[in-house]
Amino acid sequence: MKIITPAAALGAAILLAGCATPASAPKPDYDAMLASMLHASFRDQGIAKAQRLQQDAANAACSKAMGAALPEAQAQALREAAAKSVRWPADGKFLGDWRAGEKLAQNGRGMTWSDKSAAPDANGGNCYNCHQITPGEISFGTIGPSLLHYGRQRGVSDPDSPTSRAIVEFTWTKLYNSRAFSACSEMPRFGHAGVLDEAQLKNLMALLLDPKSPVNQ
Ligand code: HEC
């Protein structure tokens, strides 16, 4: 550890005082400066549109808070708005094919200017970038919690049974719009943002909740 001597501290204080901005100078509007820099550097290219720079209410509030907790009333309002955005599967079936879900979880492609199609089915879920999921995958990120044994740990032996309903609905909601539970969640809002479609979400649900999925072995 570097020891700061009183003399060095005094020197630093004098230096700081010398550079300090006079109190009367107007404070620069850093948010506006950043916004104009972003708008000057980004343009529409291919399927990637500069429109993506527009923040919605939740993005704006969470960026402004810079990692600090939002006031509870504001956080609750954002969670409620996120929960309202969630659409249940049209046919009432929440689980698809876990094999297709595993491929999606591994696939981090989509939404860049060089991708040909903007359709959700051209996108991957990129889940391993933040989560451990199956034991077979040796490379994964840790921004999110491990999802290994996700269904088994939560006692889901039959995802269609009424006792599993709460876990099934929680998981669908989390995938559809993660902000429904955590106002400033770092997890992409896969359904709400149109990153993945309903069939893809069902396949990811099966990966996490189907007792036959490698996640639950
Ligand atoms: C950029 C990082 C990131 C990506 C990508 C991501 N997640 Fe998450 N996920 C998180 C974080 C962080 C949490 C913890 C809760 C929160 O902050 O929202 C989480 C929580 C979860 C939960 C809830 C876990 C629990 O026990 O409450 C599930 C389920 C989940 N993620 C599934 C997925 C799936 C499936 C994918 C891929 C389609 C995915 N996540 C992609 C960051 C991510």
Side-chain angles (χ1 to χ4, degrees):
M1 194 176 102
K2 202 174 161 222
I3 312 275
I4 300 171
T5 62
L10 186 68
I14 291 168
L15 201 69
L16 277 176
C19 300
T21 331
S24 58
K27 203 167 151 264
D29 185 345
Y30 292 116
D31 287 346
M33 283 161 67
L34 178 66
S36 77
M37 271 164 64
L38 285 174
H39 284 281
S41 357
F42 285 87
R43 57 186 152 79
D44 288 357
Q45 182 150 347
I47 62 160
K49 307 291 179 215
Q51 171 72 21
R52 287 189 197 161
L53 294 173
Q54 298 301 332
Q55 294 188 318
D56 64 16
N59 283 337
C62 296
S63 303
K64 201 163 170 224
M66 293 202 297
L70 297 179
E72 182 45 31
Q74 187 184 20
Q76 193 185 336
L78 291 175
R79 286 194 301 266
E80 281 169 8
K84 274 203 194 117
S85 77
V86 177
R87 299 280 162 271
W88 297 133
D91 63 1
K93 295 198 173 67
F94 286 86
L95 266 65
D97 170 9
W98 65 259
R99 286 181 190 81
E102 169 65 350
K103 285 199 190 106
L104 263 177
Q106 286 173 348
N107 180 352
R109 290 190 198 90
M111 299 180 78
T112 66
W113 62 269
S114 55
D115 286 310
K116 296 280 172 283
S117 165
D121 64 5
N123 294 335
N126 202 19
C127 317
Y128 279 106
N129 222 0
C130 295
H131 294 284
Q132 178 181 28
I133 312 180
T134 63
E137 180 60 66
I138 49 167
S139 166
F140 51 83
T142 53
I143 293 176
S146 171
L147 303 175
L148 183 62
H149 301 149
Y150 183 85
R152 200 175 85 185
Q153 252 170 14
R154 288 160 181 76
V156 179
S157 52
D158 173 8
D160 292 326
S161 75
T163 48
S164 303
R165 187 75 191 183
I167 299 293
V168 168
E169 287 187 359
F170 165 81
T171 310
W172 181 269
T173 304
K174 188 73 200 165
L175 298 186
Y176 202 100
N177 191 340
S178 52
R179 293 193 194 272
F181 302 107
S182 170
C184 292
S185 172
E186 289 172 1
M187 178 159 144
R189 293 169 284 177
F190 293 103
H192 176 63
V195 177
L196 299 177
D197 64 22
E198 193 186 272
Q200 291 172 313
L201 292 175
K202 288 183 180 192
N203 294 337
L204 289 164
M205 289 286 289
L207 177 67
L208 296 176
L209 293 165
D210 191 325
K212 293 190 282 310
S213 158
V215 168
N216 297 313
Q217 302 313 307

